[in-house]
Amino acid sequence: MHTDTTGPTTHESTPRLASVHNFRDVAGNGYSTSSGTTMRRGVFYRANVLIPTGADLAVVESLGLTAVYDVRSEAEASETPDTILSAAKYTHIPILPGTIQNSALAIRTVDSAQDFMRELNRSFVTDDATRAGFSQLLTALATTPGPQLFHCTAGKDRTGWAAALLQTLAGVPQETIVDDYLLTNTYSAAYVDAAAERIAQTAAIGRADVVRVMLTVEESYLGAAFEQVGASYSSIENYLHDGLALTADTIDALGSKLVA
């Protein structure tokens, strides 16, 4: 099991934002595909909650984004509203119910936390409402012109699955997709350390370790989602067509955007 990143360590040519720690290009540094092409950079960006400082906001504005998709629950989005960009259309596409936070707060052991994260990723495939949210997101990405950004709270689970689907559509090898997924542990390291330290000072013994598990990623989390695709739909193609109800035109449009 990977617990840290291998392969790409950061996306050096993508701006690093101090106040939006998990902001990056879905195409990485221009990931190679199995067919010998490369992913096109500057098309789709991913992030955690979008509350940039003034300096970081200027950087985000300079990317020319046409749309921002917030896939947090109603409760998450209401508690911490996004900073609205001047030229990008904001669209809220709730993925996962707000009650998921209450379930997470009840976890007290590292093993339970890891099991929770794997089940969460499986729900991206098995839950009807969650699939509908991913379908809406991918359809919007396919049909909206210009550079676009999508995000959740930490930029790693819902956002991570959407990014993995886009990379899969582009034909990026699975090993690269996993390495990119694990970059959260690099990009969010300072944020995770600070959160764990706060919890360690205020909560029960062991809770900081649980928080660290919940705020980072492991290969088995993403693997659980892909395994569930195989179990429920036999192939990623069937999941996209039957599970997410994406049309052939939508899939073709995404492919055209993703690959140079």
Side-chain angles (χ1 to χ4, degrees):
M1 179 186 296
H2 285 79
T3 56
D4 202 347
T5 59
T6 59
T9 54
T10 57
H11 303 156
E12 295 300 341
S13 55
T14 299
R16 292 293 298 272
L17 304 181
S19 57
V20 188
H21 53 83
N22 210 4
F23 171 83
R24 43 199 167 107
D25 195 312
V26 172
N29 53 11
Y31 291 141
S32 298
T33 72
S34 299
S35 62
T37 58
T38 58
M39 285 193 75
R40 185 179 284 120
R41 303 187 73 258
V43 177
F44 298 133
Y45 295 92
R46 54 178 291 181
N48 56 299
V49 60
L50 195 62
I51 312 176
T53 60
D56 284 346
L57 177 60
V59 174
V60 174
E61 295 275 19
S62 74
L63 299 174
L65 297 174
T66 59
V68 171
Y69 305 99
D70 181 352
V71 302
R72 296 176 296 165
S73 67
E74 297 283 356
E76 290 171 287
S78 297
E79 182 179 350
T80 313
D82 269 358
T83 296
I84 303 300
L85 306 184
S86 60
K89 179 183 178 182
Y90 172 86
T91 302
H92 186 209
I93 304 176
I95 296 179
L96 298 180
T99 53
I100 199 76
Q101 291 174 299
N102 294 332
S103 299
L105 289 172
I107 295 171
R108 288 292 180 269
T109 69
V110 167
D111 287 346
S112 295
Q114 291 170 325
D115 288 342
F116 175 86
M117 297 307 301
R118 285 186 280 268
E119 286 301 317
L120 176 68
N121 279 268
R122 290 188 185 100
S123 76
F124 297 159
V125 181
T126 59
D127 184 77
D128 291 344
T130 301
R131 287 199 312 274
F134 282 113
S135 177
Q136 184 181 350
L137 172 63
L138 292 179
T139 299
L141 291 171
T143 56
T144 302
Q148 301 169 73
L149 179 147
F150 55 92
H151 78 87
C152 54
T153 293
K156 67 184 185 70
D157 299 314
R158 291 160 287 190
T159 295
W161 181 235
L165 289 177
L166 292 170
Q167 291 160 352
T168 300
L169 270 169
V172 174
Q174 188 73 14
E175 181 180 359
T176 303
I177 293 173
V178 170
D179 286 344
D180 180 81
Y181 175 76
L182 292 172
L183 281 177
T184 281
N185 295 341
T186 297
Y187 276 72
S188 301
Y191 165 78
V192 172
D193 287 344
E197 179 62 26
R198 286 196 303 272
I199 294 297
Q201 294 174 358
T202 60
I205 294 174
R207 182 62 185 168
D209 289 341
V210 170
V211 169
R212 188 174 292 278
V213 168
M214 305 287 277
L215 293 180
T216 54
V217 292
E218 295 183 9
E219 182 177 352
S220 67
Y221 303 166
L222 185 64
F226 277 115
E227 287 168 9
Q228 192 62 54
V229 166
S232 298
Y233 294 97
S234 299
S235 69
I236 195 73
E237 291 78 15
N238 289 341
Y239 169 71
L240 295 171
H241 282 289
D242 301 331
L244 301 188
L246 298 182
T247 66
D249 286 345
T250 297
I251 292 172
D252 288 344
L254 284 171
S256 296
K257 288 187 174 193
L258 288 164
V259 179

